[in-house]
Amino acid sequence: MLDIRRLYMLKTVAARGSIAAAAQSLALSAGAVSQQLSALRHDVGVDLLRPDGRTVALTEAGHVLLEHADRILAAVEEAESAIAAVKGTVGATATLAALPSTVARIVAPALTALGSQQPQLTVTCLVTDQAQLRELTLGTVDVVLGQRYHHLPDATPRGIEVSPLLDDPLLVVTAADQAEERPVGLRELATHTLAVPPPTTDCGQAILHACHQAGFTPTTRYITADIAAQLTLTRAGLATALIPRTAIDPTTPGIRTTPIEDHPIMRLLFAATRHTQTANPTTTAVIAALRTAARQGRTTPLPLA
């Protein structure tokens, strides 16, 4: 009989690309992972992995077994959710992965509320820009507070269930004394020096794509995903930034925020979990708290000057 833990290790190695990387994510030694995969190879009687430069890749048999492993592991999680639903109680632990831009106005209020409503629940929060949905598919996190830009393709992996929380527009942010109190046409920013996230990030891609749609290539002298740094540059009059509304602290002095009137850049903030037929009370409680915080955060006024 196949061992579920070994199937999960195979899935993790396939996703991480190497035994060493998989071992690190599993908090095991590389030798322990190799031993378990050797045992799995013995169970099925055929090679599952092959060297691929400095990494490893699945053999044909490995791909076949991984397809079945995905279904088996999903069935195990379905059973766990069904039992949790019968019990009807929120569990003791959950792991949330969230974007840095959502921490102040959504994550912190949500976790504060959860602490009062579900004192037995301990939520570990991983604040990260990268690979959140992949971590969800691997089971290392339970809920992801993620984003998707409306004008970019949806890359949600199979088996992930998305609950929309909030449409969050990017606003034009300038020094308080360098802008008029009116909506801005995106094409007007062709003459501005911009502070933008790297083009490898979702937000950086969205800004570049929107600017190209508006007919210009932006002048991006300052490249940083650090929103605090972007705000410092704008407050000093060195750059203009395009920052999600939810990511802007309403108490920030010395800046002006204005909407884009012609080519709006809108991100959907969502809570994502692994899909199960039966809702898990623990992840349901976390998502409900995120939704309430997102709704309340949307009503917070932003600085005009």
Side-chain angles (χ1 to χ4, degrees), residues 99-212:
L99 298 162
S101 60
T102 65
V103 171
R105 300 180 69 186
I106 298 180
V107 174
L111 296 186
T112 299
L114 272 175
S116 299
Q117 299 161 4
Q118 307 290 346
Q120 82 288 357
L121 175 61
T122 299
V123 179
T124 299
C125 185
L126 307 177
V127 180
T128 172
D129 275 318
Q130 302 298 325
Q132 298 179 70
L133 293 180
R134 185 185 70 173
E135 298 305 315
L136 187 58
T137 63
L138 288 174
T140 58
V141 300
D142 302 305
V143 180
V144 165
L145 174 49
Q147 66 181 1
R148 178 174 67 81
Y149 284 85
H150 285 284
H151 63 293
L152 297 181
D154 184 0
T156 304
R158 182 179 61 182
I160 299 301
E161 185 170 336
V162 170
S163 299
L165 298 177
L166 175 68
D167 275 330
D168 190 27
L170 269 62
L171 303 179
V172 177
V173 184
T174 59
D177 59 354
Q178 292 186 356
E180 303 175 25
E181 292 187 35
R182 62 173 180 82
V184 175
L186 188 60
R187 188 69 178 80
E188 295 179 49
L189 301 187
T191 60
H192 289 228
T193 296
L194 299 186
V196 298
T200 53
T201 64
D202 290 343
C203 188
Q205 289 180 29
I207 291 171
L208 285 174
H209 191 274
C211 290
H212 291 158

Side-chain angles (χ1 to χ4, degrees), residues 194-199 204 207-208 218-225 230 240-242:
L194 299 186
V196 298
I207 291 171
L208 285 174
T219 302
T220 55
R221 187 175 301 169
Y222 304 99
I223 311 296
T224 175
Q230 292 180 28
T240 297
L242 290 162

Side-chain angles (χ1 to χ4, degrees), residues 34-118:
S34 293
Q35 185 179 32
Q36 291 300 313
L37 291 176
S38 294
L40 181 59
R41 186 244 179 257
H42 182 268
D43 290 341
V44 298
V46 64
D47 288 335
L48 301 171
L49 297 169
R50 59 176 175 79
D52 185 17
R54 295 184 178 181
T55 63
V56 293
L58 294 173
T59 63
E60 182 180 357
H63 281 290
V64 170
L65 183 57
L66 182 59
E67 290 181 8
H68 288 278
D70 284 338
R71 290 195 289 270
I72 291 167
L73 294 169
V76 170
E77 181 159 18
E78 182 70 50
E80 292 172 343
S81 293
I83 293 299
V86 170
K87 291 166 60 178
T89 56
V90 172
T93 62
T95 302
L96 167 69
L99 298 162
S101 60
T102 65
V103 171
R105 300 180 69 186
I106 298 180
V107 174
L111 296 186
T112 299
L114 272 175
S116 299
Q117 299 161 4
Q118 307 290 346

